[in-house]
Amino acid sequence: ALLSGAAWGDYTAGTPAGKNRGWPSKGAFFQNRLIFANSSSLPNLLWASNAGDFYNFDDSGTTALDGFSLGLGSDGNEEIQDVVGTKGLVALGLNGLYSTSLFIDQPITPGNAFLNEQAKDGAANRRAQVIDNQIFFVDENLQQIKAAQYDIATSSFTLLDATLLSPHLIDNPVSTAAYRPTSNDGTFYLVTNEDGSMGSFQSL
């Protein structure tokens, strides 16, 4: 995308402006918007494009189709490690997991956009993957794989330790991927470690 909107220009609060802020390194699609996050100098912010206009990140408007920006953490010390567009918009932070509500039966807009903290478990700067309606991600200490599941009863995410019975499979992960074979053998979260070994996880 051509990041020429006000979020990276001279008309949004914060300095330095433009490309000197550092372009974002994480992205996802959610409700016909392109979501960007993890800018080097504004790591706690994410930006949503105009609805249906993936090149426009001007967050100065207020109509339902305009773009917007959201910040994580009240003290500004949070860092977005990844964003996932699934049933809700989920931001994985260094210090916690944040999500929009799955009970708001309306598209996300500048007027209703918010991210609630769901858990205090942080994530590493590795790609998260949606596997069978669960979000698998590497924890902030690079020692565990967490699986975030949405709990309808509490309207929040619960986290499970996917490496509880296999901690030896994780050794400083450097990359992840989702493997979806054409057979009915399920979907797998593949984690490549620094030493070249690989761990494979599934939701069952």
Side-chain angles (χ1 to χ4, degrees), residues 42-186:
L42 297 171
N44 68 316
L45 293 184
L46 65 79
W47 295 270
S49 72
N50 283 24
D53 186 0
F54 304 137
Y55 295 99
N56 189 345
F57 284 84
D58 186 348
D59 59 357
S60 61
T62 58
T63 71
L65 298 179
D66 284 330
F68 58 88
S69 56
L70 293 173
L72 298 187
S74 58
D75 56 5
N77 290 327
E78 183 62 284
E79 296 181 16
I80 299 175
Q81 304 299 300
D82 202 2
V83 287
V84 177
T86 178
K87 293 179 180 179
L89 178 60
V90 178
L92 301 168
L94 183 63
N95 303 309
L97 184 145
Y98 307 79
S99 172
T100 59
S101 174
L102 272 68
F103 285 110
I104 296 180
D105 192 23
Q106 295 178 344
I108 192 170
T109 69
N112 67 13
F114 65 93
L115 292 167
N116 281 335
E117 186 178 64
Q118 301 290 323
K120 291 289 188 182
D121 300 68
N125 193 356
R126 307 291 186 270
R127 190 65 177 162
Q129 302 285 349
V130 178
I131 306 293
D132 298 330
N133 294 320
Q134 298 180 43
I135 301 173
F136 282 75
F137 64 93
V138 180
D139 82 325
E140 74 276 17
N141 294 320
L142 301 174
Q143 296 297 319
Q144 294 178 324
I145 302 300
K146 298 290 181 67
Q149 297 178 325
Y150 192 76
D151 186 347
I152 296 178
T154 61
S155 183
S156 63
F157 278 92
T158 58
L159 296 184
L160 302 175
D161 179 6
T163 49
L164 182 64
L165 301 178
S166 55
H168 60 283
L169 295 182
I170 299 302
D171 183 17
N172 192 24
V174 295
S175 66
T176 69
Y179 174 52
R180 297 177 173 88
T182 56
S183 64
N184 293 323
D185 293 334

Side-chain angles (χ1 to χ4, degrees), residues 171-172 174 192-198:
D171 183 17
N172 192 24
V174 295
T192 305
N193 295 310
E194 187 177 43
D195 63 2
S197 62
M198 178 179 288

Side-chain angles (χ1 to χ4, degrees), residues 23-57:
W23 303 120
S25 63
K26 301 295 181 179
F29 284 98
F30 181 69
Q31 293 185 348
N32 206 27
R33 296 178 186 268
L34 178 57
I35 311 296
F36 276 140
N38 195 288
S39 167
S40 59
S41 59
L42 297 171
N44 68 316
L45 293 184
L46 65 79
W47 295 270
S49 72
N50 283 24
D53 186 0
F54 304 137
Y55 295 99
N56 189 345
F57 284 84

